[in-house]
Amino acid sequence: MEPEITIRECVSVKELGECVAVQREIFALPEVEISPVRHFVVTRGAGGFTLGAFADDDLIGFVLSVPAFSGNKKFFYSHMTAVKREFQSHGVGAQLKWAQRAEALARGVDHIKWTFQPTQARNAYFNLEKLGAVVRDYQPNFYGTDYSTLHKQGGNLGIDSDRLFAEWNLTSEKVIALSKGENFAEKGSIVRTIEIPNDWNTLVENDPEAAIAEQKRIKTEFQTAFAEGLIAKGFERSQSDPKFLLFEE
């Protein structure tokens, strides 16, 4: 019998400490890169929030929302979303994101941003097709050289942490429809596609030099497309050639 999943804000130091433990388990970062309890506490004090997913009162995942602004526009920066491995592929991540949307709107904020790897097909599909986010910004080596690949290559070869910025307009027609479980047909025509590897992690593991070459190609294609005013609004899944779908603004 599947446990009942509930979503609520984590407010106590104990609960926020459990978020740190989940973060440590899932992201496998060096300890210096782990966000401590103090970060979660300060974020809450500054107007942000951490939503936790609980199964039988046990924390199994969380999403951290950091208050942010650009000029006069306020938004939340979704810094981390993590779900314990045994609960992945059960819709917990989606529950957390839709709860994050509801909480942001309740606080008078209608935009959320976050980063994700351009080469991870599963995340791309989830962000663009399931949540309705769009992408118009590619940031090369955003967090610095990837620790895990650098370690595996004996410190000689690491993969740059290139990232796409997901922009989630919480009140867009598409997002509203998806939030209700409705289908949405994208307006306009696809004017370009950008293919990515179907299994990026295996490519990095088996042939890091080929992975770096692929990353450079993908970066060039995205930067060219964005410079021309195109925007990624969709993603097509495929076992052979998954691809981002780009439209005119």
Side-chain angles (χ1 to χ4, degrees):
M1 181 178 179
E2 293 287 337
E4 182 179 354
I5 307 297
T6 59
I7 309 292
R8 59 176 170 81
E9 186 177 1
C10 297
V11 296
S12 69
V13 171
K14 178 180 180 296
E15 289 176 340
L16 296 174
E18 291 172 356
C19 291
V20 174
V22 172
Q23 173 196 184
R24 183 178 286 112
E25 172 190 335
I26 298 304
F27 296 124
L29 292 169
E31 195 64 23
V32 69
E33 291 293 320
I34 296 294
S35 292
V37 172
R38 188 178 296 255
H39 179 204
F40 288 81
V41 172
V42 169
T43 296
R44 184 167 187 264
F49 58 93
T50 300
L51 296 179
F54 294 84
D56 299 329
D57 292 327
D58 293 326
L59 182 79
I60 62 169
F62 72 91
V63 58
L64 172 63
S65 306
V66 180
F69 65 91
S70 178
N72 294 324
K73 185 174 180 58
K74 60 183 180 180
F75 60 97
F76 282 111
Y77 186 96
S78 188
H79 179 45
M80 283 183 286
T81 303
V83 177
K84 286 188 174 181
R85 289 183 177 85
E86 61 267 34
F87 289 94
Q88 292 176 7
S89 301
H90 287 78
V92 179
Q95 290 183 59
L96 281 167
K97 293 301 290 184
W98 288 119
Q100 182 188 39
R101 173 182 180 266
E103 182 64 24
L105 289 173
R107 296 179 181 223
V109 177
D110 61 7
H111 276 78
I112 297 176
K113 294 183 180 182
W114 64 90
T115 63
F116 68 99
Q117 287 181 264
T119 50
Q120 294 288 356
R122 182 177 179 181
N123 288 347
Y125 181 81
F126 177 70
N127 291 332
L128 276 66
E129 295 292 340
K130 293 296 186 180
L131 297 180
V134 301
V135 179
R136 53 168 63 87
D137 185 18
Y138 188 108
Q139 290 292 327
N141 206 23
F142 189 65
Y143 296 108
T145 303
D146 180 77
Y147 286 97
S148 61
T149 55
L150 189 63
H151 172 72
K152 290 175 182 176
Q153 298 302 319
N156 297 318
L157 186 64
I159 307 295
D160 285 351
S161 60
D162 289 10
R163 293 293 187 270
L164 291 171
F165 262 90
E167 302 177 18
W168 205 18
N169 179 355
L170 307 183
T171 57
S172 73
E173 183 181 359
K174 182 175 184 179
V175 173
I176 290 173
L178 294 176
S179 73
K180 298 176 181 178
E182 300 172 356
N183 294 325
F184 182 85
E186 197 66 61
K187 296 177 175 63
S189 301
I190 300 167
V191 298
R192 192 172 306 171
T193 63
I194 298 177
E195 293 184 12
I196 65 171
N198 183 56
D199 190 346
W200 170 253
N201 294 338
T202 298
L203 179 63
V204 170
E205 183 76 24
N206 295 338
D207 194 344
E209 291 186 353
I212 290 172
E214 271 290 88
Q215 185 183 59
K216 288 180 179 178
R217 174 190 63 81
I218 292 165
K219 174 173 64 176
T220 298
E221 292 186 16
F222 266 115
Q223 290 179 328
T224 299
F226 292 154
E228 295 174 5
L230 302 183
I231 179 173
K233 292 184 179 181
F235 190 84
E236 182 180 306
R237 291 188 296 184
S238 168
Q239 290 298 317
S240 57
D241 57 347
K243 57 181 71 71
F244 286 87
L245 310 178
L246 283 80
F247 297 74
E248 292 182 344
E249 280 273 19

